[in-house]
Each structure stands twice: as C-alpha cells, then as structure tokens.
Amino acid sequence: MTFPPIFFELFVLALGMLILLLESFSVKEDRKIFAVIGIIGLAIVFVFLQASAPGPSGMASYVVDSAAIFFKKVVVLTTIVVLIMSIDYADTIRRFLPGGSSQSGLGEFFALPVLTCAGMMWMSSAIDFILIFVSLELVTISFYVLVAYMRRNAASLEAGVKYLILSALSTGFTVYGITWIYGVTRQTNLIEIEHVLPSIPLDNQPGVLFGALLVLVGLGFKIAAAPFQFWVPDVYQGAPTPITAFLSVGSKSVGFIVLLRVVQAFQSLPAVGDRLITAVILLAAATLLYGNLAALPQTNFKRLLAYSSIGHAGYLLMAVAGIGALDSGQAVVVYLAAYLLMTLLSFLVLVIVSAHGEGDDIVHFNGLAKRSPFLAFGLLVAMMSLAGVPLTAGFLGKFLVFKVAFETRQFLLLGLGIITVGCGFYFYLKVVKAMYWQPPAVNLAAIPVSKLSLAAIVIMVLLIFVLGIFPQVALGLMPTG
Amino acid sequence: MNLSPWIILFAPFVSAVVIVLITERFKKLSSYISVAAVAISFVFSVAVFFGQDGTASFNWIDLGTFQVKIGYLINDLTRLMLLIVTGVGLLIHIYSIGYMADDRGRSRYFCGLSLFMFSMLGIVLANNFIMMFIFWELVGFSSYLLIGHWFYRPAPPAAANKAFLANRLGDFGFMLGILLVWSASGTVTFDELRGQWSTLGLSPGFMTAAALLIFCGAIGKSAQFPLHVWLPDAMEGPTPVSALIHAATMVAAGVFMLVRTYFLFEPSSTALGVVLWIGLITSLLAALMATQQDDIKRVLAYSTLSQLGLMIAAVGLGAPQAGMFHLFTHASFKALLFLGAGSVIHSLHNEQNIWQMGGLQKKMPVTFWTFLIGTLALIACPPFAGFWSKDDILASADRNIPAFLAIAAVTYLTAFYMSRLFVVAFLGQPRSEQAGHAHESPSVMTVPLILLSIPACIAGFPFIASLFIKVPEHEGSPIGSMAVSLIAFAAGAASGYYLYKEKTKDSIQIPLFEHKFYIDEMYGSLIKWTQDLLANISGFVDRWVIDGTVVRGLGGITWGAGFALRFLQVGNLQAYAFLFGAGVVLLLYFILFGTK
Amino acid sequence: MVTLNDYLFASGLLFAIGFAGVLLRRNVIIIFMALELMLNAANLSLIGFSRYNVHDGLPDYNGQVLVFFIITVAAAEVTVGLAIIVALFRAKQTTHVEDMNTLKF
Amino acid sequence: MSPILFWIFVAMMLFFGGMVVLNRNPVASALSLVVSFLALAALYVSLDAYFIGVIQILVYAGAVMVLFLFIIMLLDLKAESRRHVNFPAVCGGFVVIILFIKVLSDVCYGFDGGNAKFPPIAQGPQGDVWHVGMVLFQQYNVALQVVGTLILVATIGVVILSKRELK
Amino acid sequence: MNFLVHLIYLSPLVAGVGIILGLPARRTAVTAAVIAIISALIVFIGYDRATGGYQFASFLQLVADWDLNFAAGVDGLSATLLLLTSIVALAAVWLAPKVDEGEHRYYACILLIAAGAAGAFASLDLFFFYAFHELALIPTFLMIGIWGSGNRQGAAWKITIYLSIGSIILLIGLIGLYLLPSPEQRTFNIVKLQQLASSGAFSGPGSRSVYFLLLLGFGILVSLFPFHTWAPQAYASAPVPVTMLHAGVLKKFGLYGLLRVALPLMPEAARHWAWLLLILLAGNILYVGLATISQKQLDLTLAYSSVMHMGYIFLGIASYNVIGLNGAALLMFAHGLSIAALFAMCGELRKQTGTLNYLDLGGLATNMPRLSFAFGLATFASIGLPGFANFASELLVFFGAFKNSTPGAGFNEFQIVGTIALWGVVISSVYMLRAYRAIFMGERQARWQTVQDMPLSLGWAVILLIAALLVVGIAPRTVLDAVEPGIRLFVK
C-alpha cells in the first residue's frame, strides 16, 4: 500500500510528538525506551519509503522524485543511527544537564532529532524557495537547541552560540538572495524559475546571479564549504557527539539536495548557470584544500572528523560542479550514501570509545586493536573507506566524482584531488596507526558494546563493502540523471 | 643425428648436478664421478676427432622472428680444442684427486671442475655467438668458484671478484659487439656470418668497431692488457685449477674465439693491427714482470700471460693457425709446468716462494725432470714443442719488423726468467727446512706429469703436429726466423743460468717490474676516483636531495600549509563572521565582475 | 518620484548596517539585533519587489507570504537564540564574544 | 506616498539602524531598533502592504523587542565598557561592508526598469489580508505546517535551555 | 575449469578474512597458498599456447550501462604472473616467522597482499584490476608499522602516501582511458578495450596525455626514477614476507599494467613518449645502480638493486617490439623470484646476526653453508648468470633495444640506452659480488662463531624460488611460448 508522499513527514512528526507526550506523562520509566520507540517508528517509515515510488505530489512547492525519496531515506537512516548513538551517549548528556531526576531532559533529547528528521524530509522534497526556507529554518533551529543541549557544558554552549550567530548570518544572506531571485524572476518556485529564466532581460542577469550566489553562500554554509566552513570544527567539537554526527551527515545531505536543485534550475540560462558553476568550482577547490590540509596536524579525533567532513564536502562539490555531465546527480547520491555509512560508523565507534575512555583525542585510541579488536576493525574499515581504498563504498564515491570531473574537464579540481587524496590517506591512517601500532594506554579493559550498537556497526561495515564491491547496488539508489 | 657432441657437452654437467644434489656428502665418490665424466667426454672427443664435420642445433628461445639456438659446430678447430680441453682436463682431474686429497671442500671443488669442463666444452662446441656468450659467462662463473675455493682466507675471495669483474668488463664489449653484428646482419650463427659478413656492404668503421668489441671478450678472458691484472691474482686458487683454467684452457678460449671468428677481423686491417699490438704489449709487459717475481706460480702466471699475448699477436699477424698451434703446444707444457709447481708446493706444504726452495733434484726426481722438460718446451729449446710453435709465430711476423723484434725479445725474456725460476727453485742447496724434508708426490700426481711431458716433448715435430693441426708452411726464410729464435733462446737461458746459479737471494732489483708497472695501483685509484666517487655522489643525492629535499620537502610544505591554515580557526566568532563576509564579497566580485 | 531602486538601495544599506553590527559589536545580544536588521532589510526589498511585480492589478503576494514566514521564523529564532544566550550567561557570566574561544584550531 | 515622507522614513530607518550598531548601551540599541522597525513598517505601508506592516509592528515592535529588553534587563547588561578597538578588524570590517554596498548598488541600479514608476494597482473588493491568506493557505499550506513544527521545536528548545530544574 | 582462476586470488582472500574471524592462522594460510599455487600451476600448464588469447575467462556483469563486469581470465602474461604470485606467496607464508602477538593479523595481512596482487593479475576489468592492487596498500602499511624493523614508521608512512598518490594519478589516467572512446563504446572490459583499440578508438588527441598519466601512475608504483625513493627504505625495514611479496610481485603490477593496458591500447602514444621513458629508465639503471654501489648494508643494497632492475624491464617495454616485450615479461617473472629469494635470506641473516652492515659481517659461509650456497645462487641469478631466467630475459631486452635500429647505422637513442643497460650488468655484478664477499667470504669474526645455518622452513621456501628460476632459465620457452602470442597480437 502507498500513502500520499506527504504522509511520511507527518508520520515522523507524529512520532516525535508521541515521544514528547510519553515523556511528559511517564514517571519513572527508563527514557531510553523512547529512543527505541523512535528507532522502531523510523524503521517502519524507512520500510515504506523503500516501497514508495516517485510520482506526482499534487502540490507545486513539493515534489516526489527519486532524489527526494533517496534523501528521505538517507535522513531517516541517519536519524536512526543518531538515536542509537544517543542511547550510548545518554549518560554524558545527563552529566551536563541540571536535573532533579536522573532521567531529566532525555526524552526531549530523543524527540528533537525525530522532529528535525521531519524537517529534513520536507527539505528534500521542497522545490519552492518558501518551503525550502521554512524547512531549512526548522532544521537549523532544532540544531541550535541540540548543539547547545548540554547546558552545564560551556563548550556545548559556546558551540551553540557560534552556530546560532553564524547560521543566522547565513540565513540573512540566503533570504536576501532569495529576494533577488524572486525580484527578477517574479517566482519562488524552482520549476517556474527554470522556465522564466531564459526570457529575463539582459540587465537583470546580474541581479539574478547575485541572488543565486547569495543562496549558494547560504547553502555553502550548511554543507560546510570553504570559505563558509569556519563554524564547523568548533561546533562539531563542542556539540554532543551524536548531534555532531547528525550535523555532518543529515544537514549536509539535505543541503546538497537543495544545492543540486537550485544549480540545476539555473542551468536553463547559460550566462548565469555557467558562472554559477564557476562559483561552485571555486568553492570546491577552496573546500578540498582547506578540509584536507588543515586536517593534517589535527590531534583531536572529533575535530579531525570535522575537517574530513569539510574535505568530503569538497569532493561532493566537485560532483555538483560537473552537473553538466549525465550522472553528476548519481555521483552525489552515491558519494553521500558512502559518506553517510563511513562517517556514522566512525562517530558510532567514537561515541562508544570516548564513553569508556578519557576523551576523544586520537591518543585515546592507542592500542584499541588490542583492547577491543572488533571496534578497531570497524573504525579501520571506516577510515579505509573515508580515505578511499578500493572495494569500499568510499572509493566508489570518489571514483564517480572523479569520473564526472574528468567528463566535464575540471582538470584544476582533479589536480587538487591528487594532493588531497594523499593528505586524506595521511590523516585517516593516523587513526589506524594509533589503533594498531601504538601500545594501549594504562587500562586494557575491553570496551563493552551494546547489542544495538554492535548490530549497527556490523551492518554498516557490511554495507560499506557491499557498496564497494557491487557498484550496481549503489547506482540503484538513484537512476542516472 | 650425431649424439656424441651432446654427450661430450653434458657429461660433466650431469656430474656437477649429481654432486650438488646427491653426493655432496661423500667426497671421494664426488671426485670419482667428476673424473669419470671427463673421461667420458674425452673418449667421445677422440671419437669426434676421427669423425667428420657437422652441425646441428635446436631453438632455445623461439619468438618467431627471433630465435636463440643451442647447437654444435664441428670442424678441425673444434676437434683440436675438444682434444686439448678434455685431454688436459682429464689428466688434471686425476691429478687433483691426489692434490686435494685432504681438503674439506673437495666435493665443491670437483663440482666446480665439472661445471668448468661443461662450460668450456660449450664454448668449444658453440655454433653461434649467443651460445658462445652463454658458456663464456659460465666459464667465468666456474673460474670464480674455483679461484675462491678457499673462501675463508682473505686473498682468494678478492682474487675471485677481481677475475669475475675483469671478465664482465670484457663481456660488456663482447655482448655489445654481438649486438652490433646481429643488428647489422640479423644473424649470430658463425656459418651464416662467415658467408655474409664481408658482403653486407657495411662501413669499414662499423666493421672495425664490431670486430674490436668482439675482441674485448678475448681481452677479458685471455687476460690481455689492459685487463690482464686478474690472472696473476687468480693464482690464489688451487694449483690444478691454475693449471687447467688459467694456463691450458679457459684463458686460451679468447684465442680460440678469435680464431673462430677470424672472418670478422679479416676485412679490417685496423682491427688486426690493434689485436696484434695488444698481444705484443701484453706479452712484453708480462715477460718483464715475470723476471722479478718470487712466487713460483706467479712466474708461471706471467709467462702464461706473455704466451697468450703471443698467440693473440699471431692472430693479429693474420696467422691464426700459428696461434692455434702455439695454443696446442702451450696447453700441454704449461699445464705440465703448473702441475710440477703444484707437486713442489704440495710437498713443501704450500711453500710458494722460490727462494725457500732449492736442491729438489734428488728428493723429487720425477717432478724435477718433467718440470725441466716443461721449461725447455716453454723457452723454445729445440726440439721441444714450444720451439716449433713459437717459431711459426716468429716466422709469420717476418714482414712486420717491430712485431718481429718484439717477439724475439719476448723469446729472450722467456728463456731468461724460466731458467732463473728453474735454477733457483730446483738446483743448488735447500734454502729452508721444508725444502729439506721435501719428498716425491704420490703417483696419482706424478703419472699425469709424465703423461703430459710426452706431448711437451714431441708435439712440436711437424709430422706429429700435422696430425692434429694444419701446420702453416710459411714462405720467406724460415731459417732466418729460426736462427733468431735460437739466438734469443740461448742468450736468455745462459744469462738466466749464470746470473742465478748458487744465489740465495735475487741479485737484481727492478721495482718497476716487481710491482707490475704499478698497474694495479693505477686501476685502484682510477676506480676510486671514477666509480666510487660517482657512486657516493649519487648515493648522497638520492638520500639527501631527491628523497630528503624534494620528497620530504613537498610533504613538509603540505603539512606546513595545513598547520598555517589551522590558524584561520582562531575561535573568535567575529573573526569567523568577518571571514565569512570576506568570502561572500570575494565570491561576488569574482563571479559578477571577474568572469565574462 | 520614488522608484523601486530607492527601496532596494535603502534595504541594501540597512542590510549593510546590520552586517556592520555583526562585525563590530562584541555583545552577542546586539549582534543578534543586527541580524534582525539584516532580515528586515531583506523583507523590505521583498515587499518592494512584490509591489513592483504587479499582475492583473494586484501585487505579487508570494513575496508578502515569504515576508510573513520570515517574520515568524525570525521571531522563533530570536526566542531560541536568546534562550541560548541566557544559558551561556548563566554558565560563563558573559555575553561577549571574546570570552568564548575555548574551541579553536 | 510623497517622496518626502519616503525619504524621511528611510532616513529614520537607517539612522536608528545605525544607532543599534553604534549605541554602547544595549537598552538604547534595543529601543532604536524598535524605532527603525516602525519606520520600516511605514515603508511597507507605503508599498501597499498593509497586512505585513501591521504584522511587522505587532511581532517586532510588540513581541521581539519586549523579549530583547526583557533579556537585557534579566542579565542586566551594563553599557559596554570601552575596550581597546581592534583596528585591523574594524578596518577590515568596513572594507568588506563598503565593497558589499558597492556590489549591491551596481546590481540595484543595473536593475532593468528599476527606475520606472511602480505600476498602478487596482483596489479590488478584497483587502490584501484576504489575498495573503489565500496564497498562504492554498499554495503554501505545507510551509505553514512546517512553521508550526518549527514553533513547536522552538518552544521545546526554550524550555530545555532555560528551565532552571528539569523534571 | 574457469573457477581455477578465481581460486588463485579467492583462496588467499577468503583465508585472510577467515583468519581475521578466527581460523587457525598458519595452517589456514599455508593451505590457502597451496591451493592457490596448485590452481595457478594447472592454469599455467593448461593454458593453450597454440590458440593464445584470453582463456579461462568468466564474466559477471555488474553495471550494464558502464559495461562494468567482475571479470577474470588469463592470457600467457597473466598466467605467468599468477604463477609467480602464488609461488612467492607460498614461500612468504611458509617462511613467515613465529609471531608472538597478533599472529592472526600477521598472516591475514600477508594473504591479503597476495590476494591483491593475484586479483589484479587475474582481473579482466579495469575497475577491479585497479581495485585489487590497492587492496594490498593497507595491509602493507599495517605490517611495516607493526612488525617492521629499523625506522619502520617512517618507511610505512612514506610507502603508503607515495603509493596512494601514485595510484590516484593512475586512477585518473584510467578514468581518462575509459572516457576516450565515444560514449556508446565505453567499457571497462579489457578484452573489449583491446578490440576497440584496433578500431582506433584510443588514437584520439587525448590519448597522449592519458598515456602520460598512466605512465606516471604506473611508473610511481614501479619506482621509476625519480619516483623511486619510497622503495629502498620500505623494503629495508618491512618484515620479510611483505618485502618478498611487494618487491617480488606487487611492484610488477605497474609493469603489467603498461603491458596489459597502456601499450596495447595506445601504441602511438607509447611510441611518442618512448624518449621520456628511455631517459628515466636510464636513470634507474645508471644512477640508481651507482647509488646501490654506495650502500653499506645488505638490505639497502637489495632494495636499491630491485629498483635498478626495474630499468631493464622498462627498457624492454620502451623498445616496443616482440623481442623486448617478451624479455620484459620474462624478466618480471625472473626478478620477482630472485629478489624474493634474496630478501628471504637477508631477513634470516638479520635474525641470526642482528646486523646487515658489511663491516660487521664476514666469513659466514663457514657457519651457514646452505644459506651461503643458496644466497650465492640467488646473487648470480640477479646479476644475470646464464642458466637463470634473469639472463635469458635480459638477453632478450638487450636484443630488443638493438632491434630498433637501421642496420649498420650509428647508435640511435635505443642503442645508447641499451649500452648503458649493458654497463648496468657490470655495475650490478660489482655491488652484488662485493656484498656476497663481504658477508660470506673472508675471515670470520669471532662473535659469529655461534651463528646457525638457515632453518629448514626457509630452506624449502628458497629452494622453491630458485628451482623455479633454474627451470625457466634453462628452458625459457616454458614461459615465452605462453607470453609471446599475446604480445604479438598488438605489436605489428
């Protein structure tokens, strides 16, 4: 059976509210139950999403194409994993919340991601700037809350404020950009805009380009593209780890779907479209370099992941810049799928290790291979995939991106790619080195892993290899074009 | 097809393999196996000697357009060489049983010998350049093994390396020559080349170059100047080895090769001239050095050098037959001399300094007499073998006065230092107590001496020699040359005898000769200042420039860039806002106004 | 005669002023106000455009709706933002941006 | 509306906007923000966007400003003590801003027909509230729901972040 | 029969994974290696030399619209290299020392490296051809870092980063290659690619730059001068099995790639870039050769020599004619075996004496007759003594280089480099003989009284390697007849 597509969001929304209600009426149940409820609910949604097919939505501002469905799946999966992490992370949360009971504030912590997930799902279907703006803000605001969630933890709050101000700034630019696009084209709907653009008078091209660039800036902020990435390392480091994962996967992927739609829409007017592409190429170059180079000297694993997420944004932008090629969208999709798996996997391991360790510096992973080989292997796979070793998902992504870049003759980016991949090998393997070469720290105790996390890790490791060895699985995620 | 050449070739190979794989532990057995193998080869060589010419081959490598063949070519030259190699080889094998009786590494030794026989026979039988080159290399290898037999002493390994490297140097030229010949003619088979070479219409310069490069092989293998330095050192090996490899057969391979490929040299007078003078220079230098050596084996070694020089010179004179003739006689009496020396050294417990010998006439009669015969043969005393062959060479030089004089001088010097050697080593009073307790060697060693002295006596007579080899009958005045050589011989022998009679120490001191014209030292510094210097430079460059500076430098720059970039991340909110705005403005400017 | 450009440029200036506020003031609350200024600048040009893009005698109401949403969202943003700032103040007794730089490099 | 009024309101808007930035006393800034927004509302009205003008006054002048002032009082922020001014930063900031204005003006005055008169609008039977409402509830229904969610999230967030003791 | 090819790389792969999951390490590893070598032998012998072409081929289509398959199959060249791989792999596994900690990881890594190499050689699809090779990267990194000797961490970093950069360049080159033909012709299938080549699909303007990328990428992987500096340090400090596999087998991947992909598809470009290759390989032979002479330690000497010998293979490739290419192919096989044997025994020496410095060693032949004998054989093999495969192949390489010339004319660039290469033979005998003499011959120092001869496990491994060398050296046709038809296909 199939619903009208809009129902998925509503279901997720209802799920979030259900958790809130349970939270407010429950007395002494273990709040982790709620997370499990959320996971189950989202799993059901995922199943239905899997079953659902592209089709007309009956609304002008809301579209259900294969891309939308794919990205909805991505965010739902992400949210599931984030909830799993949150369960492992709950103790840390409690420590930093002022609470009478030991349960205080947990229910909301599980509910907010679900609501955010709903926002992201809306975002991935939005093709009207108004809807885009609103859902974008929904996501952003809930992230304000989540990032700053640990009130007793100065770092978390500082991250919150930084995210708040900078994000609001980028919102300002986005809105101003939308204004100009609207002003020139008289439209807020991307499809309409695509139709109208070729007919706009020559004098207005700067105006619409100006608007498009400002929108690009706003989205660049969301996907952590240089030079709008400065919030990323600080916020990633300060925020609760599950939220960091959520930020780096969820909000980045929806940012990319919107970016793709916008850039695509503007291709109808080459004079503007080509310059927009140039802009994207510039951003891609800056992002590649910044993310990968600045990661080289990192010693904090969470920050390292932040820089790596910047770097990967660079590769993704390469693919976006190749939008002229037939399968650039496909490249983005596959890369994001791979990125989702490997990033979430590393964050999951990070949460588990740092929950039983001293902190989240790389040195805290020393000798992990001896302490608990399973976790070490999981992280090894994640790192291999992030670095782009063949037969892992990460390689397939890089392969597609480079293919697209070569097809569209972006030799500058390819050249940078050579350098950055080298750097990538260096700083990802630094973690591997810590786990496998270094002797373990004082406490050799094996780290306990909950059933749920164990299952998650196994599944993700398997998926990474499956995607890497059988590309058709990944390519099936979204048909070409 | 005719199997016997293959049997001749592979019998020693089989023995070598068997020794390595199976009988390594049973030393006596190994030695017998090896001897048996040579005996087989010898028997079949005799058979081949009376058989008729022939050639056959199979493809070792077949790439359609390009084949490498392994095959044999039998003609008079092959027959003679086969006989020499297997015959002398057989005797020396037998001799070795006695000489090496109490050596730990006997199996290794005999394995080496068999391997050598295999390789040497391969050279002799080869019907094309590549096959010859293959066995050429193998010969070098086996000589390396045998020279380095006593690896636990300091000197032999050094000598072995020197020998191998010198040969490799020669082979570098040899291979280059082969490649040139092939790239010009498209074939490496002797028969085909003999037919085509002069008809290819190649530029004379090219032909000369090719011939001389081929000659390089001979220079290396036959220890001609300037690569002669390895042969004297090679005396560090066991004496039978010196006899077999470094006197009778291997060093003669160079000459053999020249004769085999004479057709390459014929068209180019320049090439022949070079060959001639290389030969003569070697011969003279060696003779001069020999006059001041005190080690019995080294004296023989230098005399070998100078005799080889004569043979080469003979080829250069356009009389390859004379060269072969001398090779034939020389093989017998030089082997005889070495074995004699060997038996002396053996009974004097490895005493090699002739000034520690003396008065051996009574104690070791057989050795004494046979050595005398050998000496007489070598110094061209009529009617011994050496007289005839050397006279042929002299005679073939009668048009070329300088060469003629040089050869005469060599004859004189030979007579001089050999008589010196003989007088000092055998006559007079014992000058050490080993010499006092010397005793005749066992029969297994003396019998070969006797057998070898027979050809040393008679092989020269034309009617006997002609059985084996086409003795060149030269027009002009044989009498003249004969007279000269007689005079030279007489003078040399006399002066040697009277100068050293009853002496206890050398009365003449000529450091230049004693130190072999300081050629070793020169080479030492040459290598030091060219190869080692370059090596160290490139080692340094590789370590510190390419790797240290460029590679590490790039890595460092990248890392440094990352380190610097981090400082944009100052943690101050307004700094971020500023950078954000700056980014926006730059982007806007570049895209809106920068690009068209 | 007042033209669209005048409105646009006025809004642009307001935007710039807001941006200046973000760059120059150290007090987070003031910075936040400045951000509000930027949003309103956008609103102004939106209204301008919607008034300019007239079809069949009516201004184009999409723009106004967008403004409506922007205002709403801005309000929500302000509440959350101020809440965070308050929490920060409780934790660190400051609202100055220099005082929050524990996270860097 | 006559140009004079327009320029007056623009001047007010910009001036008080500037005061927001320049005043070192937060309360003063907040109040100038209110004034600036009032002027802005007037400009909306001048563009026949009565509904938005009203909303502007209600939401901003009414709610948001009160909130700001309330918080300022709560934290009783004193006037910002004159700290050393970081000149490079300030100059850099100004450069960035000037450049931005430059770009903006180029774009604005390049805008085609921007100098033309505003096209007249017919006063239909329904006020613009009606029109806005139609668009809002027909075309942008989804967006409205999203905003609802947004406000829900905001509420939760505020509770979580500022409640003294979570139950 | 096709499954045999898959067996060659799958058995180590599966065994490696199995070991990680907890199968008994050594027994599983040896079993897998034996299975691999048996199937490789059957494939090598079963390969029908008369018909030539690709045999034992099997395709599993993965992505239709890219024509991406999981394809495996062999022609003479790859059959030979697979044989080489499985021989060296068996030897490496067999002589692997006792590991006290992380034995599972140790063996798993060895097997994965072997599997990577084998997979690359067996694959008939560009994508997996590349992917398999890089599979070996991480295990190498881990092994050098954990079980290496000397400055192991530096070495591990250098080789890993260097090779990763090399392979990304290669990847871009391969992508370019894939994009050269018109969209409907594009394919990853090597067999089809070679058919396409005859229709001139790769002779377009881009082909030269693509070939350059490939040359650069493959060159870095093969330590082509001046991109060679990763090799010596890494080989010197890597654990023995890794060095054997890497120097012996994995390094050949680049050359194999040139022979399999670059040359057949873009002959014109290959000829165009020949001059560059000639210069660089001259650097390999002469410059690196001299650098080798200046080394003072056995492990470094061997490592440098392995870099130097790549020059000969490149010469064969550069000369681009039947003789030279066959020589190159044969030399890949021969060098793989000889260098593996040398490194194996070098590791044993290190274990016994704790030093490889020439000044400290000497006269060891008295204590270790077996080792010194075997080492001598390997030494002379590596300096091209007739009877060992190295000689036959170097011979062919030289003749190949001199083939490109007009009869009787002066030297062209090929002959000049050929002469340099010939001189390289002298150079290599200089350093190898010096090394051998310094270690095994001469006076024995008192402290080496107690040194033991090599253990039987190592003995068998070395015998395996050297026996293969001798067999092929005495009868080169065993290999050449298999390789030749494949090469004749694309050399006109």
Side-chain angles (χ1 to χ4, degrees), chain E residues 395-407:
Chain E
L395 192 76
L396 287 177
V397 168
F398 295 138
F399 275 85
F402 274 75
K403 173 96 172 158
N404 302 352
S405 70
T406 50

Side-chain angles (χ1 to χ4, degrees), chain A residues 374 449-460:
Chain A
F374 172 70
V449 184
S450 71
K451 294 259 180 306
L452 206 52
S453 319
L454 187 124
I457 292 178
V458 172
I459 291 172
M460 283 195 276

Side-chain angles (χ1 to χ4, degrees), chain B residues 128-140:
Chain B
N128 66 60
F129 264 122
I130 297 181
M131 176 177 176
M132 181 180 260
F133 184 80
I134 290 173
F135 288 96
W136 199 257
E137 289 275 322
L138 282 176
V139 163

Side-chain angles (χ1 to χ4, degrees), chain A residues 162 165-166 170 173 206 209-210 213 217 221 227-228 230 233-234 275 279 282 290 293-294 296-298 303 307 423, chain B residues 558-563 565-566 568-573 576-577 579-581 583-584 587-588 590-593 595-596:
Chain A
K162 281 179 175 170
I165 300 296
L166 291 172
S170 80
F173 280 100
L209 182 56
F210 177 74
L213 286 175
V217 168
F221 176 89
F228 316 115
F230 290 99
D234 297 7
R275 288 172 165 198
L282 287 181
Y290 187 89
L293 291 185
L296 292 176
Q298 273 311 318
R303 241 181 136 70
Y307 283 105
C423 302
Chain B
T558 322
W559 199 89
F563 193 79
L565 277 181
R566 273 166 79 239
L568 288 178
Q569 212 74 41
V570 289
N572 180 330
L573 185 50
Y576 293 170
L579 290 167
F580 188 108
V584 174
L587 191 67
L588 289 175
F590 190 78
I591 299 302
L592 280 175
F593 310 124
T595 65
K596 271 285 148 278

Side-chain angles (χ1 to χ4, degrees), chain B residues 277-295:
Chain B
W277 281 105
I278 292 280
L280 288 179
I281 292 169
T282 317
S283 175
L284 268 171
L285 291 182
L288 289 172
M289 298 176 196
T291 56
Q292 283 290 299
Q293 302 302 320
D294 298 337
D295 180 324

Side-chain angles (χ1 to χ4, degrees), chain E residues 337-360:
Chain E
L337 293 173
S338 58
I339 201 71
L342 282 169
F343 270 118
M345 290 181 274
C346 167
E348 176 65 16
L349 274 173
R350 190 203 299 273
K351 203 167 88 208
Q352 293 280 342
T353 65
T355 174
L356 290 174
N357 195 320
Y358 295 144
L359 301 177
D360 305 346

Side-chain angles (χ1 to χ4, degrees), chain E residues 19 21 104 123 159 189 290 314 372 375:
Chain E
I19 289 176
L21 298 180
H104 283 66
S123 166
I159 183 177
N189 179 335
L290 287 169
F314 276 120
S372 53
F375 198 92

